[in-house]
Amino acid sequence: KAGVTQTPRYLIKTRGQQVTLSCSPISGHRSVSWYQQTPGQGLQFLFEYFSETQRNKGNFPGRFSGRQFSNSRSEMNVSTLELGDSALYLCASSLGEAHDEQYFGPGTRLTVT
Amino acid sequence: AQSVTQLGSHVSVSEGALVLLRCNYSSSVPPYLFWYVQYPNQGLQLLLKYTTGATLVKGINGFEAEFKKSETSFHLTKPSAHMSDAAEYFCAVSLMDSSYKLIFGSGTRLLVRP
């Protein structure tokens, strides 16, 4: 069974631009979660989607948004990029029950210049 | 509020020595606990998880962890370190209030000396 895939793997953007990251979950998984990983703040939860609905959201500004499609694929968008948004963005998928194991993708490395 | 504390941002052991990575949690409700490993330029891989029942949990690659409620701890151990164990390890908690998110510790980088 194929794992979680994220595209692109690397991205360089300029301050003020916007970016869209994509995540394809493991087949059969209906939940997709997004995390931001930085050296200073560590791993922080962004949001979680299940059956196209956002079920949980972390403490991030409204510039960070996401969505999930009917095939469970998910995208996250960051508008008006700031230097501090430079991070590894990880996507994880699970079956969707509380406390299910989450399977992580390799991440998208975003650099904002 | 719930939190996870990992003692030691870096731990160095000799190959063949015991690995002990410490994790303490703070939670007002019983937690589910996880250990993940991250190799360079990769995502996180689940090593093991504690839900309910047996407090000693065995995971992949010879790792195990013991849930101690009285100490609010979930330390990760491996009897004999291998060079391939060098990576960053994250302890995480998910609450029994149907939370769908993981709260991670700050991570411990394990170095294995030949």
Side-chain angles (χ1 to χ4, degrees):
Chain A
K1 185 181 277 191
V4 178
T5 58
Q6 292 187 245
T7 56
R9 290 292 311 275
Y10 301 91
L11 206 50
I12 300 175
K13 289 287 188 178
T14 304
R15 271 183 304 174
Q17 289 185 315
Q18 74 167 15
V19 66
T20 299
L21 312 181
S22 180
C23 172
S24 294
I26 292 171
S27 177
H29 285 189
R30 298 170 64 189
S31 169
V32 173
S33 298
W34 288 89
Y35 294 83
Q36 182 196 64
Q37 185 177 24
T38 60
Q41 299 298 316
L43 280 154
Q44 293 186 286
F45 172 78
L46 280 156
F47 29 64
E48 186 256 354
Y49 287 87
F50 179 82
S51 292
E52 303 179 65
T53 299
Q54 187 182 90
R55 286 198 298 196
N56 208 342
K57 188 178 189 305
N59 295 323
F60 278 83
R63 299 186 298 107
F64 291 81
S65 63
R67 60 177 175 170
Q68 187 180 34
F69 302 95
S70 58
N71 62 358
S72 294
R73 190 177 70 85
S74 176
E75 290 181 346
M76 69 162 282
N77 185 77
V78 187
S79 63
T80 319
L81 284 166
E82 301 177 359
L83 295 178
D85 297 333
S86 294
L88 180 66
Y89 290 89
L90 293 164
C91 161
S93 77
S94 74
L95 291 171
E97 295 297 318
H99 319 301
D100 273 344
E101 297 172 14
Q102 294 190 24
Y103 295 84
F104 283 79
T108 294
R109 172 78 59 188
L110 172 65
T111 302
V112 182
T113 62
Chain B
Q2 55 278 10
S3 65
V4 179
T5 302
Q6 291 184 240
L7 293 175
S9 59
H10 291 80
V11 169
S12 180
V13 300
S14 297
E15 190 173 20
L18 171 72
V19 175
L20 170 60
L21 304 182
R22 300 178 185 273
C23 173
N24 288 86
Y25 68 91
S26 171
S27 172
S28 57
V29 297
Y32 282 62
L33 295 158
F34 304 80
W35 274 100
Y36 282 86
V37 61
Q38 186 177 34
Y39 297 99
N41 299 315
Q42 294 187 28
L44 278 69
Q45 179 183 10
L46 180 69
L47 282 175
L48 49 81
K49 74 174 185 180
Y50 168 77
T51 54
T52 58
T55 57
L56 183 61
V57 181
K58 294 187 183 299
I60 63 172
N61 301 339
F63 285 94
E64 62 182 36
E66 186 172 9
F67 171 61
K68 292 187 177 181
K69 184 178 179 180
S70 61
E71 300 177 7
T72 61
S73 69
F74 190 56
H75 302 331
L76 181 71
T77 60
K78 182 175 180 178
S80 176
H82 191 273
M83 296 297 292
S84 62
D85 294 327
E88 190 151 23
Y89 293 79
F90 293 92
C91 181
V93 63
S94 145
L95 303 182
M96 285 193 182
D97 60 351
S98 300
S99 174
Y100 300 100
K101 67 179 181 182
L102 293 172
I103 298 169
F104 286 91
S106 54
T108 297
R109 185 168 297 280
L110 176 66
L111 308 171
V112 182
R113 305 186 302 273

